[in-house]
Amino acid sequence: MTMKRLVEEETVIKVYQADPHDSMVLLHWYLELVNTGDIDKVLFPSNHSLGLFMQYFNNFSEVRLVYVTDDRGEIQFAAWGTQMSPGVIFFSIWLRKKLRSTKEGAQIVLDIYNAVFSVYQVVLGITKQERLLKVHKKLGYTVIDEIPKGWAGTEDAWMVLLTKDSFLAATGG
């Protein structure tokens, strides 16, 4: 199934289970993140080694990972979160480069936010990519503030907040 068909029909969002198949999918995604340099953009340095990366996503008491794969089994989109309190999740997203700024990618992002907001009322996030603040605002996020050295004490970052109501208002949902 191609990504186009996936979006035209219905996005199949998979929940990472840590079985042998899912672990291999996660390993291939790790290699993609390292080879493209995306690992520096989406994960704190403390999770950059393979062992700590696998440990982070296998810590089900704190982190849950969902993803969408293409017909070759490669992760095209991943999202992960940690429940902060009932109704509030700290949330992160990664999209394969070829899907960024595409209709397919946008639809997958909307699908995952709709799924998140079926459970949570508030999404918190942090980004060190200032250029992404415009995208966050289009989704309805409020930029709370710039945090000096907020990215693991090494780079400035921005804390962002999205409510279900602001998401629905921004996306016409």
Side-chain angles (χ1 to χ4, degrees):
M1 177 179 292
T2 66
M3 286 306 295
K4 185 175 183 191
R5 274 194 55 213
L6 183 70
V7 172
E8 286 175 354
E9 293 172 5
E10 182 179 332
T11 302
V12 179
I13 300 171
K14 300 176 184 177
V15 178
Y16 176 67
Q17 299 296 322
D19 60 31
H21 175 267
D22 280 6
S23 294
M24 287 304 295
V25 170
L26 190 62
L27 173 60
H28 285 278
W29 181 47
Y30 171 80
L31 295 172
E32 170 77 15
L33 292 174
V34 169
N35 290 334
T36 62
D38 281 354
I39 198 163
D40 293 322
K41 298 174 185 172
V42 297
L43 291 171
F44 292 129
S46 58
N47 294 317
H48 286 190
S49 74
L50 175 59
L52 292 174
F53 177 87
M54 297 298 279
Q55 181 180 0
Y56 176 72
F57 286 110
N58 281 282
N59 184 0
F60 294 147
S61 65
E62 292 189 22
V63 178
R64 292 303 295 175
L65 170 67
V66 296
Y67 61 91
V68 173
T69 58
D70 63 9
D71 53 352
R72 297 182 311 174
E74 294 179 348
I75 292 179
Q76 302 299 303
F77 168 87
W80 57 100
T82 302
Q83 182 172 310
M84 304 303 291
S85 66
V88 180
I89 187 170
F90 190 84
F91 191 64
S92 299
I93 291 177
W94 174 85
L95 203 61
R96 186 174 290 275
K97 188 173 184 173
K98 70 181 182 181
L99 287 176
R100 298 171 193 164
S101 301
T102 68
K103 287 181 182 180
E104 294 89 354
Q107 186 60 55
I108 292 169
V109 169
L110 291 176
D111 288 348
I112 195 66
Y113 275 109
N114 281 312
V116 166
F117 283 123
S118 71
V119 177
Y120 299 97
Q121 295 297 310
V122 177
V123 170
L124 294 172
I126 188 168
T127 183
K128 70 175 194 172
Q129 299 178 72
E130 186 173 10
R131 65 180 179 75
L132 292 182
L133 294 177
K134 187 175 182 179
V135 175
H136 282 85
K137 289 176 183 177
K138 283 184 179 179
L139 288 170
Y141 273 95
T142 299
V143 178
I144 297 173
D145 208 351
E146 181 176 359
I147 306 167
K149 304 292 184 204
W151 192 261
T154 60
E155 297 178 64
D156 295 343
W158 290 264
M159 179 66 71
V160 294
L161 177 142
L162 180 63
T163 65
K164 182 177 184 176
D165 289 342
S166 62
F167 171 74
L168 294 174
T171 60

